[in-house]
Amino acid sequence: MKPDSGESGARRPARAGGELLRFVIVGVTSAVAYSLLAAAVVRLGLAPAYLSGLVLFGLFVPATFLAHKHFTFRSTRLLRSAFAGYALLQILCYSLVSSVSTRLLTGTYRLDAALYFATVGTAAAASFLIGKLFIFRPAPGRRDGDTL
């Protein structure tokens, strides 16, 4: 078993940098696709903004989880609870950004944009660290039924 295979938990600094870059790629791609689809659904009158946001969020969480599992962190075996933990993390991050960006608006474009991007950046950093340390780390042991 190689020390950086993802199965032993040991990681070299170069790999961690690659994970961060892949995390950003997946996150930005997911956010842009989500935004474009939500805007299209609302503009075409297929669903109200709130409903389309909920439905697309429900579709994007599993897809983004799989992208992070296979591309970002290249995990082979995860705990069965990994997806539930990831979904909860995404709900919390989305709630944080939504709460801050709707309740702390100043009415000044630059200040509001700075607040929004600072909140998104904080949520993304927390998501990366929690994902790396807890959700996407390799599952210990080889008991059947405990891993994805």
Side-chain angles (χ1 to χ4, degrees):
M1 179 180 330
K2 296 180 204 171
D4 66 342
S5 68
E7 294 181 10
S8 69
R11 299 190 177 170
R12 296 190 308 224
R15 179 170 177 182
E19 285 177 342
L20 181 58
L21 178 61
R22 290 189 303 269
F23 179 84
V24 169
I25 290 168
V26 168
V28 168
T29 302
S30 179
V32 168
Y34 172 88
S35 298
L36 292 174
L37 283 172
V41 167
V42 171
R43 179 149 179 109
L44 294 173
L46 300 175
Y50 183 74
L51 179 60
S52 67
L54 283 176
V55 170
L56 288 172
F57 186 79
L59 294 173
F60 270 75
V61 168
T64 306
F65 172 80
L66 291 173
H68 282 311
K69 178 184 179 199
H70 296 291
F71 177 70
T72 302
F73 298 104
R74 298 180 179 171
S75 302
T76 53
R77 294 178 304 119
L78 299 175
L79 293 174
R80 278 199 180 269
S81 61
F83 178 72
Y86 180 78
L88 178 61
L89 176 64
Q90 294 311 301
I91 290 167
L92 292 173
C93 287
Y94 191 80
S95 298
L96 171 70
V97 172
S98 296
S99 295
V100 169
S101 64
T102 58
R103 287 170 178 70
L104 300 178
L105 293 177
T106 65
T108 304
Y109 176 76
R110 289 181 192 221
L111 288 175
D112 291 344
L115 175 66
Y116 175 78
F117 286 116
T119 306
V120 167
T122 301
S127 183
F128 176 75
L129 290 174
I130 292 168
K132 178 181 174 83
L133 298 174
F134 301 105
I135 296 171
F136 294 101
R137 77 170 182 216
R142 294 195 181 270
R143 294 181 299 187
D144 288 337
D146 287 346
T147 59
L148 290 175

